[in-house]
Amino acid sequence: METTTGTPSNTIGSTKKPPPEPRENVRLRGLVVLSFWAVVIVLGLPMWWYTTSIHRARLPLQEMFDWADGKTCKPTFPLRITIEAPSLTLTEAQHLVRTTQHALDDLNEFSAHHLRLRLGSSLGYPNASLVSGDTPSFDQRQTISGGYGRGEETALTVHLEPKEGLVAAAADLQPYSTTLNVPYVPSQVPSVSSSSSALADVIANKLQDIFAEEQATIAYILTSTHALGNTQQNLAGLGQVPQIQSASSGFRGQRSGPRTLNPDLASRLARRMTRSLKYAATYHITISLFTPTASPSSWEIESAVNEYLQPLLDSFSGISDFTVDTQVQHYASFSPSVQQPEYDSDFGVWTLRKEDLSGFINAAEWPLSPSIGAGPTLNFVLYVPQSSMAPLVVKESRASSWLIPQWGGVVILNPSNADVQPLTVSDSLTKDEIRPALLTFSHQLLSLLGTPQSPPSLPLQLQTLTRVQAASLLLSASSTMGSLARLTVALPSIAIPETVANVVNRTLSHLHDACTSLRDGQFHLALEHARIAESYAEKGFFEKSMVGQVYFPDEHKVAVYLPLLGPIAVPLVSGALKEIKRLWSSRTRRD
C-alpha cells in the first residue's frame, strides 16, 4: 500500500492567496478617499466656518473700562448763586461777593459740589457812579464770580435788602420760591479793606445749610456706586464728604467742623434710596377708590386731581412726565392674610395692627395692575371703610395713611361726622372730602420719587432732585458699560452684533455730553443726556442675541456636533489612515 508522506508546512503553504489588487483599483480607491477629503476641506470646512462663525463687532473696551472706573469723568456740580444787592455800590457789592465766596470755600470740604457766587446781570446800581459810573458789564460780572459757561442755570438768588432796626442780619427762604431774602443792617456792610464780614458769614452759613442734604446725597451716590471703582481713590481729589449739619450755629461767625458721611446719615440716605423708585422719563399714577360696600358710588376725582395734584405734577415737567388713571372697586374685602380690625374701646376707634399693613392690599382680588406701558406705575389707594367699622386707624400710631416703598401709598378715608352716631358713608365723595387724601398722596409721591426733605422750598427740592438723578443715571450707565466690557472679555465666544457697537458708541457720546453739561452747570440738559445714555446702555447690555449666547457654552456645541460628525468622520479618517499606510509600505519596498 502506497503511503503519501509530507510535512505540515507544505500543506499550509499550498493555501492559495488572493490575487494581488490591480494597480488601477488601488489608484481609484486612493482618488475616492482624496476626493472625499477634498470636498470636506474645500467646501465643507469653509461652509461650516461661515455658517457657524460668531460675529464680534469691535467695541471701545478701554474707553468703557475707563468710564466704569471713573477715569473719564469726575462728576462736578457747580451751583450758580446770584447776588442781588441794589442798595450797594458796585465796589461794595463786588467786595461782598468776594468775601462771601471765601467764607463758602472755607465751609465747603466737598469740592465736587460747590457754590459759585456772582452779581445779578440785570441789576442797576444807582450808586455805581461813585465808583465807576456804569453798571458792570457781563464780562466784568463773570470775572467777579469766577466765570460761567453760557446756559448755566441759576440755583438760587440771594436778595439783599437794608432794613433799619434789626439787631443782626437774617435769612428767609419761602416754601415756593428760589429767592433767599436777606434783610440786613446797613452798618453790617463790609468795608473794602476788611477781609471778613458778619453779613458774609450769615449768607455763607445759610447757603451751606440749604444745600447740605444735597451735598450728602451726591456724596452717598458717589461712594455707593461701583461705577467709580475704588471710592477712596476716586474721591481723593474731591475733598471730604459732607454731613448734613445745621449751620445756624455759625451765624455768629463760627465755622462748622469737619464733615464726614457718618453711618447714621448713610443709613438714612440708604433708606430713602430704597423707598424711592428708579428714575423713569414717564410714570403712570393710578388712584383707586376701594370700599367693602356699595357706597360711595361716585367721587369728584377729576376736578380734585386738577386742583390739588396736577400743579405738583406740572412742576415735575422738567424731570418726568405723568399720566393719571382712576378706578372704583366696590365690595373690596381685606386680604386673607390681614387680621380683622379690632375695636379699641378706650379711644372709640377700630385699629389695624402695624404688621398687617404690608398685607393690607388684596392683590388677588383688587384690580391693581403692576405696570401700565413702559414706565413704572404708582398706586395710590383710597380706602373707605364701612360705617360699622369706622373710624379705622393704625393701632400703634393712630395714623390713617402709610407709604409702601417703591409701590405707592394708602389712605383710609374715615367719615367726617365721626362724632355723630350711627356713622354713615355718603353715596358720593365731593372734591373737598377728597382733598386731604390727595394732599397726602402728594407727599407720598414726593417720597417715592426721591425728593429730598430740605431745603424747604419745593423748586429748590426739584433742582436737587434733577442733579441727584443726573448723577445716578450717569454712574449707572457708566457701570453698565463696564459690565458689558467685562462680559465681552470673559466670553470670547459670545456674539456682538453691530447694533450693540452702535448703541455703545451712542451711550459713550451721551455720557460725555452729560458730564460736560454737569461741569457747565446745565443740569436739566445733563439729566436728559444721562437718561438717554442709561436707556442705550440697558438696551446694549440686554441685547437678545447676546443673552442667548451666554447660556450656550462649548459643552453644548460638542453635544450637538458629535452625533452628526462622528459617523461621517470615522470612515473618512480610517480610509485616510489606510491609504497613508499603503503609500508608506510601497515606498519602503521600493527603497
Side-chain angles (χ1 to χ4, degrees):
M1 187 173 183
E2 236 179 277
T3 303
T4 305
T5 62
T7 62
S9 59
N10 293 337
T11 304
I12 296 174
S14 63
T15 304
K16 292 184 178 180
K17 294 182 179 180
E21 188 176 8
R23 179 174 296 181
E24 185 64 25
N25 291 350
V26 173
R27 179 173 173 274
L28 182 61
R29 187 176 67 245
L31 292 176
V32 169
V33 173
L34 180 62
S35 63
F36 270 104
W37 275 103
V39 171
V40 169
I41 295 174
V42 176
L43 295 179
L45 287 178
M47 186 176 296
W48 170 80
W49 182 265
Y50 177 77
T51 55
T52 61
S53 61
I54 297 175
H55 176 69
R56 290 173 61 88
R58 182 181 296 273
L59 298 181
L61 296 179
Q62 187 57 50
E63 186 177 358
M64 296 166 69
F65 281 126
D66 289 344
W67 273 102
D69 295 336
K71 298 178 181 178
T72 304
C73 175
K74 299 287 186 181
T76 57
F77 304 85
L79 272 62
R80 167 181 166 181
I81 309 297
T82 300
I83 303 293
E84 293 181 352
S87 299
L88 300 181
T89 64
L90 174 60
T91 303
E92 291 174 336
Q94 291 175 348
H95 182 66
L96 178 62
V97 168
R98 282 192 293 265
T99 306
T100 307
Q101 185 67 67
H102 290 319
L104 270 175
D105 293 339
D106 292 340
L107 289 173
N108 185 27
E109 297 177 352
F110 184 55
S111 59
H113 183 284
H114 50 275
L115 308 179
R116 290 294 175 259
L117 306 181
R118 60 171 295 173
L119 289 177
S121 59
S122 60
L123 292 180
Y125 291 85
N127 299 326
S129 58
L130 299 176
V131 180
S132 62
D134 280 318
T135 301
S137 66
F138 180 76
D139 293 334
Q140 288 174 327
R141 288 190 298 270
Q142 279 191 319
T143 303
I144 295 171
S145 61
Y148 286 92
R150 294 192 176 187
E152 186 178 8
E153 304 167 6
T154 300
L156 181 66
T157 299
V158 179
H159 184 74
L160 299 173
E161 239 181 85
K163 191 172 183 180
E164 298 291 344
L166 288 177
V167 178
D172 180 39
L173 180 64
Q174 297 299 320
Y176 299 98
S177 173
T178 58
T179 300
L180 178 66
N181 294 313
V182 182
Y184 66 94
V185 181
S187 59
Q188 289 184 325
V189 177
S191 61
V192 179
S193 59
S194 64
S195 59
S196 63
S197 165
L199 179 59
D201 289 342
V202 169
I203 299 174
N205 281 281
K206 184 61 178 179
L207 291 176
Q208 188 69 22
D209 191 34
I210 288 175
F211 295 101
E213 183 174 352
E214 178 179 335
Q215 284 189 350
T217 304
I218 292 177
Y220 173 79
I221 293 174
L222 295 180
T223 55
S224 60
T225 302
H226 295 291
L228 289 181
N230 189 325
T231 306
Q232 299 298 330
Q233 178 181 356
N234 289 308
L235 292 180
L238 302 180
Q240 296 185 18
V241 179
Q243 173 187 359
I244 297 178
Q245 173 178 329
S246 176
S248 58
S249 61
F251 281 3
R252 300 182 184 89
Q254 299 175 0
R255 295 291 188 263
S256 301
R259 293 171 172 82
T260 56
L261 197 62
N262 58 47
D264 292 338
L265 175 60
S267 177
R268 259 192 297 139
L269 293 175
R271 286 196 300 270
R272 194 180 84 187
M273 297 294 181
T274 304
R275 183 173 60 242
S276 60
L277 281 83
K278 183 180 179 181
Y279 172 81
T282 301
Y283 294 95
H284 305 281
I285 297 177
T286 299
I287 303 177
S288 306
L289 172 63
F290 290 99
T291 174
T293 63
S295 297
S297 58
S298 63
W299 56 337
E300 299 177 355
I301 187 61
E302 184 175 355
S303 57
V305 167
N306 290 334
E307 184 169 348
Y308 303 124
L309 185 60
Q310 192 60 46
L312 176 62
L313 301 182
D314 292 339
S315 65
F316 276 88
S317 59
I319 303 175
S320 299
D321 297 325
F322 296 87
T323 62
V324 181
D325 297 322
T326 62
Q327 62 177 347
V328 178
Q329 176 71 23
H330 296 110
Y331 303 102
S333 59
F334 284 130
S335 174
S337 61
V338 175
Q339 181 177 336
Q340 291 298 315
E342 300 174 350
Y343 184 71
D344 189 339
S345 57
D346 295 336
F347 295 93
V349 295
W350 291 83
T351 60
L352 281 170
R353 298 185 307 170
K354 185 177 181 180
E355 54 266 26
D356 290 333
L357 297 183
S358 59
F360 181 83
I361 302 299
N362 190 353
E365 299 181 10
W366 295 4
L368 294 170
S369 176
S371 181
I372 301 175
T377 298
L378 296 169
N379 291 281
F380 295 104
V381 174
L382 179 61
Y383 184 81
V384 181
Q386 55 186 337
S387 57
S388 61
M389 203 173 288
L392 181 63
V393 297
V394 179
K395 183 176 182 179
E396 289 77 8
S397 61
R398 307 295 172 186
S400 59
S401 64
W402 61 90
L403 181 73
I404 302 178
Q406 298 187 5
W407 189 86
V410 178
V411 173
I412 299 176
L413 184 62
N414 292 303
S416 58
N417 55 346
D419 55 341
V420 179
Q421 299 294 334
L423 295 176
T424 58
V425 178
S426 60
D427 292 335
S428 178
L429 294 178
T430 64
K431 180 177 64 175
D432 293 334
E433 291 175 323
I434 302 173
R435 178 178 178 274
L438 288 183
L439 295 180
T440 302
F441 289 154
S442 299
H443 289 288
Q444 293 174 344
L445 176 63
L446 291 175
S447 298
L448 291 169
L449 296 179
T451 308
Q453 297 179 352
S454 67
S457 171
L458 179 61
L460 292 183
Q461 291 177 3
L462 296 181
Q463 289 183 22
T464 297
L465 182 61
T466 299
R467 290 185 281 269
V468 169
Q469 296 290 17
S472 299
L473 292 174
L474 175 67
L475 299 180
S476 176
S478 301
S479 178
T480 303
M481 286 290 96
S483 300
L484 179 58
R486 288 190 293 271
L487 178 67
T488 302
V489 174
L491 299 176
S493 61
I494 192 173
I496 304 177
E498 291 294 337
T499 54
V500 173
N502 294 334
V503 165
V504 168
N505 291 331
R506 293 180 182 179
T507 301
L508 297 178
S509 175
H510 283 286
L511 282 176
H512 181 271
D513 292 340
C515 187
T516 303
S517 299
L518 281 180
R519 189 166 52 247
D520 294 341
Q522 302 175 5
F523 301 114
H524 282 88
L525 185 59
L527 176 62
E528 181 66 17
H529 283 300
R531 181 188 65 79
I532 298 174
E534 168 72 3
S535 176
Y536 277 133
E538 294 290 331
K539 181 180 178 182
F541 187 80
F542 293 104
E543 170 68 27
K544 292 185 293 184
S545 60
M546 292 181 61
V547 172
Q549 289 292 329
V550 172
Y551 303 102
F552 196 72
D554 294 336
E555 291 81 359
H556 290 185
K557 298 177 183 179
V558 173
V560 170
Y561 285 129
L562 195 58
L564 298 176
L565 300 181
I568 300 176
V570 169
L572 286 176
V573 172
S574 60
L577 291 177
K578 289 181 180 179
E579 286 301 312
I580 293 174
K581 184 179 179 180
R582 183 187 62 81
L583 292 175
W584 181 263
S585 300
S586 61
R587 181 178 178 181
T588 303
R589 285 196 300 268
R590 284 198 300 268
D591 293 342

